């Protein structure tokens, strides 16, 4: 969290040239705005609990919780899971942990809490979640990460009932860990989704680091909770899916220095159907793992995605991905601590990046904010990826000072104006202040609007809906043969004068997971052409798909070269 100084092009679909940077002249009028519909949707009955002390005396009290969007009952509507936190008392079994919130989307912008029916329970102190169909039965399953308690894998049995298979599957991990991000992806290419779990810091609840007058426990002259510097790091976990409902722990060169991991996502950065693993580390360099056979290589520094443009370690927390400049390459966005900027890494090649944050106009607007959950999405449907971030401090003590950076902070949206540049949406058009943490996006209304669900520390959720636009969209629901939920798929969409690339990813943002359905704004285009690169490398091309519709695409049985 604190900042410390440390020192081929996409294969073309139809033989035409890549669109490249969209020019500023193509930008439309800045009309992007949002309303918070959490209260009318029925989501504000959920309230997150973060810790035992009002002054947040210890660092675990400020780090929860995630939110996951997925169609858990497969009725065509995107549902929501809000992960609740806990306290040292609930983690020790001396108090009941606060319940998570599992909300069924009943349509019409309304949600109903179905947690009791589901059987899902807080193990003591929840952190984050990831969603994927790990057993390839067609139902989205849930993985919950925890502080001190073992993690939980909840198998979806249908009809809003889940079974805890953490122990039998081998994915619980050891007790006493501080687990943060989780992400599913088929790293070994065998058609089964494997699992990565990031570790943050190792804490003994009987010997917690007390706030003191030391560099690791001070901020702006205030004595605050300690860490992560000065704390022992927690190693990451990698589990290989054995295909029979069980996983095996992988002993490999994953996180050998026990960095402070917070964000993670398996991403298909290239066009061969394989995934890489990107990990946002707090106060230490970020990591980028590639997989070849049994070899696992880490190369974020060489790839230009480990540090800032100045060569500084940053406070990596949340991860966003998208193709903001429409060149067919996947760019990365990493949220960071206050007094630093959130970093935009533009892809030069599938495994090569450069920090272009200042050139994109994104450095100064985020300097006084502390970013967490984030996503690229085309909120105004003009054909260009925008960015959204939720913010919130980790030290409530800052409110005692005359500083612009407060405990509760407003979220931020950045409209893509073309030419590789962004402009911040005026604060009045994205309302509210909170201690934001997890963020997940989905079309919750099935009308082409990309909504944003936010889990707020010690607060109730937000549900941001962009204002209506005449621009058109296309939605895609992918159904794979090797991997039914298509986690790890890559989609290239083209229309007259435009192009977009989307990924189907489990995990990411901050401790969260976006809905796997693909959503693309296409301006005024009436039809688009689509190429899907399925997990494993199979290609499928569909031409002339009508816009303003959701299309279901099933993987072709035969690979197209």
């Amino acid at each position: 969290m604190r900042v410390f100084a440390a020192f081929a092009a996409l294969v073309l679909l139809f033989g035409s040239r890549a669109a490249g940077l969209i020019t500023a002249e193509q930008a439309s009028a800045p009309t992007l705005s949002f309303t918070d519909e959490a209260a009318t949707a029925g989501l504000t009955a959920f309230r997150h609990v973060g810790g035992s002390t009002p002054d947040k005396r210890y660092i675990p009290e400020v780090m929860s919780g995630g939110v996951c969007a997925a169609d858990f009952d497969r009725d065509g509507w995107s549902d929501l899971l809000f992960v609740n936190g806990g306290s040292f008392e609930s983690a020790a079994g001396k108090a009941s942990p606060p319940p998570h919130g599992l909300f069924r989307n009943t349509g019409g912008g309304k949600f109903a809490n179905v947690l009791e029916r589901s059987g899902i329970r807080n193990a003591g102190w929840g952190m984050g979640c990831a969603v994927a169909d790990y057993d390839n039965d067609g139902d989205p399953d849930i993985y919950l990460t925890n502080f001190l308690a073992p993690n939980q894998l909840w198998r979806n049995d249908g009809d809003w009932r889940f079974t805890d298979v953490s122990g039998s599957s081998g994915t619980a991990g050891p007790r006493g860990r501080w687990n943060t991000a989780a992400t599913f992806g088929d790293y070994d290419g065998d058609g089964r989704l494997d699992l990565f779990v990031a570790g943050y810091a190792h804490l003994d609840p009987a010997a917690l680091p007390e706030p003191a007058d030391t560099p690791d426990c001070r901020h702006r002259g205030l004595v605050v909770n300690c860490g992560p510097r000065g704390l022992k790091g927690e190693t990451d976990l990698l589990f290989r899916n054995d295909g029979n409902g069980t996983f095996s722990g992988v002993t490999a060169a994953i996180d050998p220095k026990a960095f402070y991991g917070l964000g993670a996502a398996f991403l298909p950065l290239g066009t061969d159907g394989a995934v890489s693993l990107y990990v946002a580390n707090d106060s230490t360099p970020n990591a980028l793992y590639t997989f070849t056979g049994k070899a696992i290589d880490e190369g974020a520094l060489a790839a230009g995605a480990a540090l800032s443009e100045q060569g500084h370690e940053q406070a990596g927390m949340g991860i966003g991905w998208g193709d903001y400049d429409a060149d067919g390459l996947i760019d990365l966005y990493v949220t960071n601590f206050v007094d630093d900027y959130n970093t935009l890494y533009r892809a030069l090649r599938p495994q090569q990046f450069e920090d272009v944050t200042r050139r994109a106009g994104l450095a100064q607007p985020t300097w006084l904010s502390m970013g967490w959950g984030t996503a690229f999405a085309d909120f105004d449907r003009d054909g260009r990826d925008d960015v959204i971030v939720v913010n919130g401090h980790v030290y409530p003590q800052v409110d005692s000072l005359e500083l612009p950076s407060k405990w509760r902070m407003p979220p931020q949206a950045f409209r893509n104006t073309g030419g590789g540049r962004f402009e911040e949406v005026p604060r009045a058009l994205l309302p509210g202040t909170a201690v934001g943490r997890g963020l997940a996006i989905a079309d919750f209304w099935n009308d082409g609007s990309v909504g944003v669900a936010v889990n707020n520390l010690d607060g109730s959720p937000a549900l941001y809906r962009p204002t209506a636009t005449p621009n058109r969209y296309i939605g895609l629901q992918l159904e794979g043969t090797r991997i039914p939920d298509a986690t790890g798929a890559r989609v290239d969409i083209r229309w007259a004068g435009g192009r977009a690339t989307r990924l189907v990813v489990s995990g990411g943002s901050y401790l969260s997971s976006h809905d796997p359905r693909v959503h693309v704004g296409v301006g005024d285009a009436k039809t688009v052409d689509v190429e899907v690169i399925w997990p494993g490398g199979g290609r499928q091309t569909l031409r002339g798909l009508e816009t303003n519709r959701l299309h279901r695409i099933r993987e072709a049985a035969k690979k197209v070269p």
Side-chain angles (χ1 to χ4, degrees):
M1 292 179 323
R2 297 182 177 85
V3 180
F4 288 82
F7 45 40
L10 177 68
V11 176
L12 303 182
L13 272 175
F14 314 117
S16 59
R17 248 183 107 192
L21 286 172
I22 298 175
T23 63
E25 289 74 22
Q26 292 172 281
S28 57
T31 57
L32 182 58
S33 63
F34 298 81
T35 56
D36 183 0
E37 300 195 356
T40 57
L43 298 176
T44 52
F46 171 83
R47 185 171 181 84
H48 180 272
V49 176
S52 304
T53 66
D55 59 349
K56 306 301 179 187
R57 190 173 181 85
Y58 308 105
I59 188 172
E61 299 181 291
V62 298
M63 304 300 286
S64 178
V67 54
C68 284
D71 183 5
F72 292 112
D73 58 356
R74 301 174 66 189
D75 66 351
W77 296 88
S78 296
D79 311 302
L80 280 167
L81 168 69
F82 292 95
V83 178
N84 216 327
S87 63
F88 292 104
E89 293 77 18
S90 63
K94 298 178 181 179
S96 298
H100 302 309
L102 182 62
F103 289 87
R104 180 185 175 220
N105 189 336
T106 59
K110 304 294 184 181
F111 290 80
N113 197 338
V114 294
L115 181 72
E116 286 303 316
R117 180 177 181 177
S118 73
I120 294 174
R121 297 292 181 267
N122 189 338
W125 195 327
M127 283 287 146
C129 57
V131 173
D133 180 13
Y134 83 93
D135 52 2
N136 287 352
D137 68 351
D139 294 319
D141 309 298
I142 297 170
Y143 190 78
L144 297 178
T145 61
N146 297 305
F147 172 58
L148 299 180
N151 298 323
Q152 300 161 293
L153 178 59
W154 293 93
R155 186 187 66 213
N156 189 339
D157 295 328
D159 196 29
W160 289 105
R161 300 183 189 280
F162 292 78
T163 299
D164 185 354
V165 295
S166 315
S168 61
S169 66
T171 59
R175 181 176 294 276
R177 282 176 48 88
W178 187 350
N179 305 282
T180 52
T183 176
F184 287 91
D186 183 14
Y187 82 86
D188 55 2
D190 64 357
R192 299 187 291 266
L193 292 176
D194 310 299
L195 173 64
F196 171 84
V197 181
Y200 187 57
H202 188 79
L203 289 181
D204 180 355
L208 294 169
E210 296 289 343
D213 190 8
T214 64
D216 297 324
C217 310
R218 292 190 70 85
H219 177 75
R220 297 282 192 174
L222 299 168
V223 175
V224 295
N225 60 65
C226 303
R229 288 287 188 175
L231 303 179
K232 180 182 177 182
E234 191 77 83
T235 56
D236 299 336
L237 303 174
L238 181 63
F239 298 98
R240 185 181 63 247
N241 191 331
D242 296 326
N244 56 0
T246 66
F247 291 73
S248 299
V250 177
T251 303
I254 293 286
D255 193 28
K257 296 183 179 180
F259 286 161
Y260 309 115
L262 285 180
F266 278 113
L267 302 170
L269 296 176
T271 59
D272 59 356
V275 295
S276 302
L277 173 63
Y278 189 65
V279 182
N281 290 314
D282 187 356
S283 303
T284 45
N286 301 324
L288 178 62
Y289 297 98
T290 55
F291 306 90
T292 306
K294 294 185 178 181
I296 302 177
D297 298 311
E298 197 288 303
L301 185 62
L307 307 169
S308 72
E309 185 178 33
Q310 296 77 32
H312 293 173
E313 297 169 342
Q314 295 182 282
M317 292 189 271
I319 301 172
W321 55 88
D323 180 15
Y324 79 94
D325 52 1
D327 64 355
L329 298 168
I330 300 301
D331 312 299
L332 301 173
Y333 190 73
V334 180
T335 56
N336 293 306
F337 201 74
V338 72
D339 299 328
D340 194 9
Y341 57 75
N342 299 333
T343 309
L344 176 64
Y345 293 108
R346 179 178 181 242
L348 306 176
R349 295 186 296 277
Q351 298 285 345
Q352 192 68 47
F353 301 87
E354 63 172 339
D355 178 353
V356 297
T357 312
R358 286 186 167 84
R359 279 173 276 170
L362 290 172
Q364 186 275 335
T366 63
W367 193 267
L368 297 176
S369 297
M370 189 179 298
W372 298 85
T374 187
F376 283 96
D378 186 2
F379 295 108
D380 53 7
R381 306 203 306 234
D382 64 355
R384 297 183 291 271
D385 274 346
D386 311 303
V387 173
I388 194 161
V389 181
V390 291
N391 302 303
H393 221 295
V394 292
Y395 310 130
Q397 293 82 1
V398 296
D399 285 351
S400 68
L401 302 177
E402 293 297 324
L403 294 174
S405 301
K406 299 297 184 182
W407 169 239
R408 296 168 60 89
M409 294 181 174
Q412 292 176 286
F414 301 95
R415 181 176 172 270
N416 188 336
T417 60
R421 300 279 299 178
F422 292 82
E423 65 179 13
E424 185 175 2
V425 172
R427 296 290 172 87
L429 302 183
L430 181 57
T433 59
V435 189
R437 291 300 184 257
L439 175 154
I441 60 172
D443 179 0
F444 297 106
W445 304 272
N446 282 349
D447 66 352
S449 303
V450 181
V452 182
V454 182
N455 198 353
N456 293 313
L457 181 77
D458 287 339
S460 296
L463 181 65
Y464 291 109
R465 185 178 189 177
T467 50
T469 170
N471 291 329
R472 302 175 71 86
Y473 74 97
I474 188 167
L476 304 173
Q477 182 174 328
L478 305 185
E479 297 180 0
T481 53
R482 296 174 78 249
I483 297 178
D485 68 0
T487 295
R490 176 189 177 104
V491 186
D492 196 67
I493 305 97
R494 290 176 183 258
W495 61 95
R499 172 184 185 168
T501 303
R502 295 288 187 270
L503 308 181
V504 180
V505 176
S506 167
S509 183
Y510 176 73
L511 309 184
S512 299
S513 204
H514 307 305
D515 187 274
R517 289 190 299 182
V518 171
H519 182 282
V520 182
V522 297
D524 60 0
K526 299 292 181 63
T527 63
V528 300
D529 297 324
V530 172
E531 183 185 54
V532 181
I533 301 177
W534 297 95
R539 293 174 181 259
Q540 192 169 348
T541 300
L542 301 98
R543 301 179 188 273
L545 297 185
E546 294 182 12
T547 58
N548 279 358
R549 289 186 57 189
L550 173 67
H551 297 261
R552 179 180 286 115
I553 300 177
R554 294 186 175 92
E555 183 176 3
K558 189 187 223 179
K559 288 187 179 180
V560 178

